[in-house]
Structure formats: C-alpha cells, structure tokens
Amino acid sequence: MRFFIDTANLDQIREANDLGVLDGVTTNPSLMAKEGIKGEANIKQHYVDICNIVKGDISAEVIATDFEGMIREGKELAALHEQIVVKVPCTKEGIKAIKYFTDNGIRTNCTLVFSVGQALLAAKAGATYVSPFIGRLDDVSTDGVELIRQIVDVYNYYEYGTQVLAASIRHTMHIVQCLEAGADVATCPLDAILGLLKHPLTDIGLAKFLEDYKKVNG
Ligand code: G3P
C-alpha cells in the first residue's frame, strides 16, 4: 500500500517526505483554505511547490461543478506539472469529465465517494484513483473500512484498473484497517502516519539497550 499525505501544509509535507516513505499528496479546497491559500495564481503556485517537494502523484481539485468548467480547470491544473492528478467530485458532471480526461490522457482522482455504485461509475469512466471517504462514513454510523473492502473486491473481480485511495483517514487504526482491506493507497494526516511508529515496548526496549550499553562503555 502506498502512502499519501492529506494536507496542503508545506511543513507537514516536507516532514512526511523526509521520512522517505511518502508516495504522493492529496489536497482539497478545504485543506487549501486552512492554509490560507487563496486566489487562482497562488493556488496554482502552491500545487507546483508541492510537486517540487514530493516525487509522486499530487491531487489538485477542480472547483467548477459543470462539465465545461471542470474540463477547463482540469486542463489548466494538469498543465501545471506532470505529477498533477485532477481531482473531480463524483457527480453526474464529474463522471462525464473523468471520462473526457481519461480519453485525453489526463489522470484523475474521483473524490467524495461514499458507495460501491459511485466507485463503479468512477472505474467505468476510467478514473486513475477513486477516493472513498471512510472517516465521514464512520461519522454517520456506517463502516467506512467495509466500503474499502467492498470496492477492492469488486475492482479485483471485474479487473478494473482504478486504484482505491482510502481518504478521510482520521487515525492510525484506519491505516492498518485499510492495509488489511487491500487499499492501493491511504492518504493520511501526518499525525496518523507518525502514530504508526508509536509503541511503548519500542521506547522501553531502546531505553534498556542504551542503559546496558552505558553500563559497559561508560
Ligand atoms: O481526503 C479527504 C479528506 O481531506 C477529508 O477528510 O477528515 O475532512 O473527512 P475529513
């Protein structure tokens, strides 16, 4: 399973990238707004800055909700950098836009996916990635990880090429569950990635190793 970081914060992106295990970045309009990135030129420059930090796929989301607007924005975003993947919401217009992008060699991430039916349409349209939002399903008493499992099964059975990108991951356990469910990618907050490192027995064991070393070596 590949790791993306789900943020527009450049410091966090650098920190995750420095770990050496980062495969890409996802952003969305809310994450860009959280960092105070506003205005078309600044937003585009921010995507380029991210591409210059991480060598991997970088999702950049369209704002338009109509087909023509999505196509215009998506082409502009894709032209920014070869690593850009155009993120498109899973709506009727969005599916049409994804099909257009597929036919024109532009890679896509179908976002805001909450059901197997939506994932089916994304795959049929040729999306590079499909992004089921597992945390937001958990928020409404629905098992988000189970949706990942179902989509992975269906895609494997019918041999769809679309990769399952588990999104809206809130904590470390979500990452482990997505791994077990067969997700191709998990896009995670930095805290959740770093949380994978945490184990008290590691800390206790390391302290003991260092203590024993000092006993002999001074
Ligand atoms: O990848 C989608 C993500 O940014 C949404 O996360 O926590 O707002 O549901 P969240």
Side-chain angles (χ1 to χ4, degrees), residues 89-137:
C90 191
T91 60
K92 188 175 169 187
E93 298 292 289
I95 292 297
K96 282 161 58 180
I98 289 169
K99 179 70 171 90
Y100 175 92
F101 288 133
T102 303
D103 292 345
N104 287 275
I106 292 175
R107 296 180 305 142
T108 53
N109 176 353
C110 185
T111 189
L112 288 168
V113 165
F114 295 93
S115 73
V116 176
Q118 290 178 314
L120 168 64
L121 291 179
K124 292 283 290 177
T128 312
Y129 296 102
V130 66
S131 288
F133 277 31
I134 66 173
R136 293 192 192 183
L137 281 171

Short mmCIF file of all heavy atoms in Angstrom, two decimals, residues 89-137:
data_model
loop_
_atom_site.label_atom_id
_atom_site.label_comp_id
_atom_site.label_asym_id
_atom_site.label_seq_id
_atom_site.Cartn_x
_atom_site.Cartn_y
_atom_site.Cartn_z
N PRO A 89 -15.19 15.72 -8.31
CA PRO A 89 -16.22 15.12 -7.45
C PRO A 89 -17.07 14.09 -8.20
O PRO A 89 -17.27 14.19 -9.41
CB PRO A 89 -17.08 16.32 -7.02
CG PRO A 89 -16.85 17.35 -8.06
CD PRO A 89 -15.45 17.15 -8.57
N CYS A 90 -17.57 13.13 -7.43
CA CYS A 90 -18.36 12.04 -8.02
C CYS A 90 -19.81 12.49 -8.21
O CYS A 90 -20.71 12.10 -7.46
CB CYS A 90 -18.29 10.80 -7.12
SG CYS A 90 -18.98 9.36 -7.94
N THR A 91 -19.99 13.34 -9.23
CA THR A 91 -21.33 13.79 -9.61
C THR A 91 -21.54 13.38 -11.07
O THR A 91 -20.61 12.87 -11.71
CB THR A 91 -21.42 15.33 -9.52
OG1 THR A 91 -20.43 15.89 -10.41
CG2 THR A 91 -21.17 15.81 -8.10
N LYS A 92 -22.74 13.62 -11.59
CA LYS A 92 -23.02 13.30 -12.99
C LYS A 92 -22.05 14.03 -13.92
O LYS A 92 -21.45 13.45 -14.82
CB LYS A 92 -24.47 13.70 -13.29
CG LYS A 92 -24.98 13.28 -14.63
CD LYS A 92 -26.46 13.65 -14.71
CE LYS A 92 -27.02 13.53 -16.09
NZ LYS A 92 -28.40 14.05 -16.15
N GLU A 93 -21.89 15.35 -13.67
CA GLU A 93 -20.96 16.14 -14.49
C GLU A 93 -19.52 15.66 -14.27
O GLU A 93 -18.72 15.63 -15.19
CB GLU A 93 -21.07 17.63 -14.13
CG GLU A 93 -22.43 18.22 -14.38
CD GLU A 93 -22.78 18.32 -15.86
OE1 GLU A 93 -22.18 19.15 -16.54
OE2 GLU A 93 -23.64 17.54 -16.31
N GLY A 94 -19.24 15.29 -13.03
CA GLY A 94 -17.89 14.84 -12.71
C GLY A 94 -17.52 13.55 -13.43
O GLY A 94 -16.40 13.41 -13.94
N ILE A 95 -18.46 12.62 -13.48
CA ILE A 95 -18.18 11.34 -14.18
C ILE A 95 -17.96 11.60 -15.67
O ILE A 95 -17.03 11.05 -16.28
CB ILE A 95 -19.34 10.34 -13.95
CG1 ILE A 95 -19.39 9.90 -12.48
CG2 ILE A 95 -19.20 9.11 -14.87
CD1 ILE A 95 -18.17 9.15 -11.97
N LYS A 96 -18.77 12.50 -16.24
CA LYS A 96 -18.57 12.85 -17.66
C LYS A 96 -17.19 13.48 -17.85
O LYS A 96 -16.50 13.19 -18.84
CB LYS A 96 -19.66 13.84 -18.10
CG LYS A 96 -21.00 13.18 -18.38
CD LYS A 96 -22.16 14.15 -18.37
CE LYS A 96 -22.05 15.28 -19.35
NZ LYS A 96 -23.23 16.19 -19.28
N ALA A 97 -16.80 14.33 -16.92
CA ALA A 97 -15.49 14.99 -17.03
C ALA A 97 -14.36 13.97 -16.89
O ALA A 97 -13.36 14.02 -17.62
CB ALA A 97 -15.37 16.08 -15.96
N ILE A 98 -14.51 13.02 -15.97
CA ILE A 98 -13.47 11.99 -15.79
C ILE A 98 -13.31 11.19 -17.08
O ILE A 98 -12.19 10.91 -17.52
CB ILE A 98 -13.81 11.08 -14.58
CG1 ILE A 98 -13.62 11.86 -13.28
CG2 ILE A 98 -12.95 9.81 -14.59
CD1 ILE A 98 -14.16 11.17 -12.04
N LYS A 99 -14.43 10.84 -17.71
CA LYS A 99 -14.35 10.09 -18.98
C LYS A 99 -13.61 10.92 -20.03
O LYS A 99 -12.76 10.41 -20.76
CB LYS A 99 -15.78 9.75 -19.45
CG LYS A 99 -15.83 8.99 -20.77
CD LYS A 99 -15.31 7.56 -20.61
CE LYS A 99 -15.55 6.74 -21.87
NZ LYS A 99 -14.45 6.80 -22.83
N TYR A 100 -13.92 12.21 -20.07
CA TYR A 100 -13.24 13.10 -21.03
C TYR A 100 -11.74 13.12 -20.74
O TYR A 100 -10.91 12.98 -21.65
CB TYR A 100 -13.82 14.52 -20.93
CG TYR A 100 -13.08 15.50 -21.81
CD1 TYR A 100 -13.49 15.76 -23.12
CD2 TYR A 100 -11.94 16.17 -21.34
CE1 TYR A 100 -12.80 16.64 -23.92
CE2 TYR A 100 -11.23 17.04 -22.14
CZ TYR A 100 -11.67 17.28 -23.43
OH TYR A 100 -10.95 18.15 -24.23
N PHE A 101 -11.39 13.30 -19.46
CA PHE A 101 -9.97 13.36 -19.10
C PHE A 101 -9.27 12.04 -19.45
O PHE A 101 -8.15 12.02 -19.95
CB PHE A 101 -9.79 13.68 -17.61
CG PHE A 101 -10.14 15.09 -17.24
CD1 PHE A 101 -10.95 15.36 -16.13
CD2 PHE A 101 -9.68 16.17 -17.98
CE1 PHE A 101 -11.28 16.67 -15.77
CE2 PHE A 101 -10.00 17.49 -17.64
CZ PHE A 101 -10.80 17.73 -16.54
N THR A 102 -9.94 10.92 -19.15
CA THR A 102 -9.37 9.60 -19.47
C THR A 102 -9.06 9.51 -20.96
O THR A 102 -7.97 9.07 -21.36
CB THR A 102 -10.36 8.48 -19.07
OG1 THR A 102 -10.67 8.61 -17.69
CG2 THR A 102 -9.77 7.09 -19.34
N ASP A 103 -10.03 9.92 -21.77
CA ASP A 103 -9.87 9.83 -23.23
C ASP A 103 -8.78 10.77 -23.75
O ASP A 103 -8.30 10.61 -24.86
CB ASP A 103 -11.19 10.17 -23.93
CG ASP A 103 -12.25 9.09 -23.68
OD1 ASP A 103 -11.87 7.99 -23.23
OD2 ASP A 103 -13.44 9.35 -23.94
N ASN A 104 -8.44 11.77 -22.92
CA ASN A 104 -7.44 12.74 -23.35
C ASN A 104 -6.13 12.65 -22.56
O ASN A 104 -5.34 13.60 -22.53
CB ASN A 104 -8.02 14.15 -23.25
CG ASN A 104 -9.04 14.40 -24.36
OD1 ASN A 104 -8.69 14.78 -25.47
ND2 ASN A 104 -10.31 14.12 -24.07
N GLY A 105 -5.92 11.51 -21.92
CA GLY A 105 -4.64 11.24 -21.27
C GLY A 105 -4.36 12.03 -20.01
O GLY A 105 -3.21 12.19 -19.60
N ILE A 106 -5.42 12.54 -19.37
CA ILE A 106 -5.24 13.28 -18.10
C ILE A 106 -5.69 12.39 -16.96
O ILE A 106 -6.81 11.85 -16.97
CB ILE A 106 -6.04 14.61 -18.13
CG1 ILE A 106 -5.40 15.56 -19.15
CG2 ILE A 106 -6.09 15.25 -16.74
CD1 ILE A 106 -6.17 16.86 -19.35
N ARG A 107 -4.82 12.22 -15.97
CA ARG A 107 -5.13 11.32 -14.85
C ARG A 107 -6.07 11.99 -13.85
O ARG A 107 -6.01 13.21 -13.66
CB ARG A 107 -3.84 10.87 -14.17
CG ARG A 107 -2.97 10.04 -15.13
CD ARG A 107 -1.69 9.58 -14.50
NE ARG A 107 -0.95 10.71 -13.96
CZ ARG A 107 -0.25 10.67 -12.83
NH1 ARG A 107 -0.22 9.57 -12.11
NH2 ARG A 107 0.41 11.73 -12.41
N THR A 108 -6.93 11.18 -13.23
CA THR A 108 -7.97 11.73 -12.36
C THR A 108 -8.08 10.98 -11.03
O THR A 108 -7.71 9.81 -10.93
CB THR A 108 -9.36 11.67 -13.05
OG1 THR A 108 -9.57 10.31 -13.48
CG2 THR A 108 -9.45 12.62 -14.21
N ASN A 109 -8.62 11.71 -10.06
CA ASN A 109 -8.96 11.14 -8.76
C ASN A 109 -10.43 11.48 -8.52
O ASN A 109 -10.78 12.66 -8.35
CB ASN A 109 -8.06 11.77 -7.69
CG ASN A 109 -8.39 11.33 -6.29
OD1 ASN A 109 -9.39 10.65 -6.05
ND2 ASN A 109 -7.58 11.75 -5.34
N CYS A 110 -11.29 10.49 -8.52
CA CYS A 110 -12.73 10.70 -8.31
C CYS A 110 -12.99 10.78 -6.80
O CYS A 110 -12.82 9.79 -6.07
CB CYS A 110 -13.54 9.57 -8.94
SG CYS A 110 -15.30 9.84 -8.85
N THR A 111 -13.38 11.97 -6.33
CA THR A 111 -13.45 12.21 -4.89
C THR A 111 -14.90 12.28 -4.39
O THR A 111 -15.84 12.30 -5.18
CB THR A 111 -12.69 13.51 -4.53
OG1 THR A 111 -12.58 13.62 -3.12
CG2 THR A 111 -13.38 14.75 -5.09
N LEU A 112 -15.03 12.30 -3.07
CA LEU A 112 -16.34 12.33 -2.40
C LEU A 112 -17.16 11.10 -2.76
O LEU A 112 -18.33 11.19 -3.13
CB LEU A 112 -17.09 13.62 -2.74
CG LEU A 112 -16.53 14.89 -2.07
CD1 LEU A 112 -17.12 16.15 -2.68
CD2 LEU A 112 -16.76 14.87 -0.55
N VAL A 113 -16.51 9.93 -2.64
CA VAL A 113 -17.16 8.66 -2.95
C VAL A 113 -17.59 7.98 -1.64
O VAL A 113 -16.79 7.85 -0.70
CB VAL A 113 -16.21 7.76 -3.77
CG1 VAL A 113 -16.68 6.32 -3.80
CG2 VAL A 113 -16.08 8.33 -5.18
N PHE A 114 -18.85 7.58 -1.60
CA PHE A 114 -19.42 7.01 -0.37
C PHE A 114 -20.16 5.70 -0.62
O PHE A 114 -20.83 5.20 0.28
CB PHE A 114 -20.36 8.03 0.29
CG PHE A 114 -19.64 9.26 0.77
CD1 PHE A 114 -19.54 10.38 -0.04
CD2 PHE A 114 -19.03 9.30 2.01
CE1 PHE A 114 -18.86 11.52 0.38
CE2 PHE A 114 -18.34 10.43 2.45
CZ PHE A 114 -18.26 11.54 1.63
N SER A 115 -20.09 5.16 -1.84
CA SER A 115 -20.81 3.91 -2.11
C SER A 115 -20.11 3.11 -3.21
O SER A 115 -19.32 3.67 -4.00
CB SER A 115 -22.25 4.21 -2.56
OG SER A 115 -22.26 4.71 -3.89
N VAL A 116 -20.42 1.81 -3.26
CA VAL A 116 -19.86 0.94 -4.31
C VAL A 116 -20.37 1.39 -5.67
O VAL A 116 -19.64 1.36 -6.66
CB VAL A 116 -20.23 -0.53 -4.04
CG1 VAL A 116 -19.73 -1.42 -5.17
CG2 VAL A 116 -19.64 -1.00 -2.72
N GLY A 117 -21.62 1.83 -5.73
CA GLY A 117 -22.19 2.29 -7.00
C GLY A 117 -21.41 3.46 -7.57
O GLY A 117 -21.12 3.52 -8.77
N GLN A 118 -21.05 4.41 -6.72
CA GLN A 118 -20.26 5.55 -7.19
C GLN A 118 -18.88 5.08 -7.66
O GLN A 118 -18.38 5.55 -8.68
CB GLN A 118 -20.09 6.58 -6.05
CG GLN A 118 -21.38 7.31 -5.71
CD GLN A 118 -21.18 8.27 -4.54
OE1 GLN A 118 -20.57 7.92 -3.52
NE2 GLN A 118 -21.70 9.49 -4.67
N ALA A 119 -18.31 4.14 -6.91
CA ALA A 119 -16.98 3.61 -7.28
C ALA A 119 -17.04 2.89 -8.62
O ALA A 119 -16.09 2.93 -9.41
CB ALA A 119 -16.46 2.67 -6.19
N LEU A 120 -18.16 2.22 -8.90
CA LEU A 120 -18.35 1.55 -10.18
C LEU A 120 -18.31 2.56 -11.33
O LEU A 120 -17.60 2.39 -12.32
CB LEU A 120 -19.69 0.79 -10.19
CG LEU A 120 -20.14 0.27 -11.56
CD1 LEU A 120 -19.18 -0.78 -12.09
CD2 LEU A 120 -21.56 -0.26 -11.48
N LEU A 121 -19.06 3.67 -11.18
CA LEU A 121 -19.09 4.68 -12.24
C LEU A 121 -17.72 5.32 -12.43
O LEU A 121 -17.30 5.59 -13.57
CB LEU A 121 -20.14 5.74 -11.93
CG LEU A 121 -21.60 5.26 -12.00
CD1 LEU A 121 -22.56 6.38 -11.65
CD2 LEU A 121 -21.91 4.74 -13.41
N ALA A 122 -17.01 5.55 -11.33
CA ALA A 122 -15.66 6.13 -11.43
C ALA A 122 -14.75 5.20 -12.23
O ALA A 122 -13.99 5.65 -13.10
CB ALA A 122 -15.09 6.35 -10.03
N ALA A 123 -14.84 3.91 -11.95
CA ALA A 123 -13.99 2.93 -12.66
C ALA A 123 -14.38 2.85 -14.14
O ALA A 123 -13.53 2.81 -15.01
CB ALA A 123 -14.12 1.56 -12.00
N LYS A 124 -15.69 2.84 -14.40
CA LYS A 124 -16.16 2.77 -15.79
C LYS A 124 -15.69 3.99 -16.59
O LYS A 124 -15.44 3.89 -17.79
CB LYS A 124 -17.69 2.71 -15.83
CG LYS A 124 -18.29 1.43 -15.30
CD LYS A 124 -18.17 0.28 -16.28
CE LYS A 124 -19.09 0.48 -17.47
NZ LYS A 124 -18.88 -0.63 -18.44
N ALA A 125 -15.60 5.14 -15.90
CA ALA A 125 -15.15 6.36 -16.58
C ALA A 125 -13.63 6.39 -16.74
O ALA A 125 -13.09 7.27 -17.39
CB ALA A 125 -15.63 7.59 -15.81
N GLY A 126 -12.97 5.42 -16.09
CA GLY A 126 -11.51 5.32 -16.26
C GLY A 126 -10.70 6.12 -15.27
O GLY A 126 -9.52 6.44 -15.52
N ALA A 127 -11.29 6.46 -14.11
CA ALA A 127 -10.54 7.22 -13.11
C ALA A 127 -9.25 6.50 -12.73
O ALA A 127 -9.24 5.27 -12.61
CB ALA A 127 -11.41 7.43 -11.86
N THR A 128 -8.20 7.26 -12.54
CA THR A 128 -6.93 6.68 -12.08
C THR A 128 -7.09 6.21 -10.62
O THR A 128 -6.64 5.12 -10.26
CB THR A 128 -5.80 7.73 -12.15
OG1 THR A 128 -5.84 8.37 -13.42
CG2 THR A 128 -4.44 7.10 -11.90
N TYR A 129 -7.73 7.07 -9.82
CA TYR A 129 -7.97 6.77 -8.41
C TYR A 129 -9.45 6.99 -8.09
O TYR A 129 -10.09 7.85 -8.69
CB TYR A 129 -7.19 7.72 -7.50
CG TYR A 129 -5.69 7.61 -7.60
CD1 TYR A 129 -4.96 8.55 -8.31
CD2 TYR A 129 -4.98 6.59 -6.95
CE1 TYR A 129 -3.57 8.49 -8.39
CE2 TYR A 129 -3.60 6.52 -7.02
CZ TYR A 129 -2.90 7.47 -7.75
OH TYR A 129 -1.53 7.39 -7.82
N VAL A 130 -9.94 6.24 -7.11
CA VAL A 130 -11.24 6.53 -6.52
C VAL A 130 -11.00 6.77 -5.03
O VAL A 130 -10.23 6.05 -4.40
CB VAL A 130 -12.25 5.38 -6.75
CG1 VAL A 130 -11.84 4.10 -6.01
CG2 VAL A 130 -13.65 5.78 -6.34
N SER A 131 -11.64 7.82 -4.50
CA SER A 131 -11.40 8.19 -3.09
C SER A 131 -12.64 8.03 -2.23
O SER A 131 -13.45 8.96 -2.09
CB SER A 131 -10.93 9.65 -3.01
OG SER A 131 -9.63 9.80 -3.49
N PRO A 132 -12.82 6.85 -1.61
CA PRO A 132 -13.89 6.70 -0.62
C PRO A 132 -13.47 7.39 0.68
O PRO A 132 -12.33 7.23 1.13
CB PRO A 132 -13.97 5.18 -0.42
CG PRO A 132 -13.10 4.58 -1.50
CD PRO A 132 -12.09 5.61 -1.86
N PHE A 133 -14.40 8.13 1.27
CA PHE A 133 -14.12 8.92 2.49
C PHE A 133 -14.54 8.10 3.71
O PHE A 133 -15.69 8.15 4.13
CB PHE A 133 -14.90 10.23 2.47
CG PHE A 133 -14.27 11.34 1.68
CD1 PHE A 133 -13.48 11.08 0.57
CD2 PHE A 133 -14.47 12.66 2.06
CE1 PHE A 133 -12.89 12.13 -0.15
CE2 PHE A 133 -13.90 13.71 1.34
CZ PHE A 133 -13.11 13.44 0.24
N ILE A 134 -13.60 7.40 4.31
CA ILE A 134 -14.01 6.45 5.35
C ILE A 134 -14.37 7.12 6.67
O ILE A 134 -15.31 6.71 7.35
CB ILE A 134 -12.96 5.33 5.55
CG1 ILE A 134 -11.66 5.85 6.09
CG2 ILE A 134 -12.73 4.59 4.26
CD1 ILE A 134 -10.69 4.72 6.45
N GLY A 135 -13.65 8.17 7.05
CA GLY A 135 -13.95 8.85 8.32
C GLY A 135 -15.33 9.47 8.32
O GLY A 135 -16.05 9.42 9.32
N ARG A 136 -15.69 10.04 7.18
CA ARG A 136 -17.01 10.69 7.13
C ARG A 136 -18.14 9.66 7.15
O ARG A 136 -19.25 9.97 7.60
CB ARG A 136 -17.12 11.59 5.89
CG ARG A 136 -16.19 12.77 5.99
CD ARG A 136 -16.45 13.84 4.98
NE ARG A 136 -15.33 14.78 4.97
CZ ARG A 136 -15.26 15.88 4.24
NH1 ARG A 136 -16.27 16.18 3.45
NH2 ARG A 136 -14.21 16.66 4.30
N LEU A 137 -17.87 8.44 6.67
CA LEU A 137 -18.87 7.37 6.81
C LEU A 137 -18.97 6.94 8.26
O LEU A 137 -20.07 6.78 8.80
CB LEU A 137 -18.52 6.18 5.91
CG LEU A 137 -18.88 6.35 4.44
CD1 LEU A 137 -18.29 5.23 3.59
CD2 LEU A 137 -20.40 6.41 4.25
#
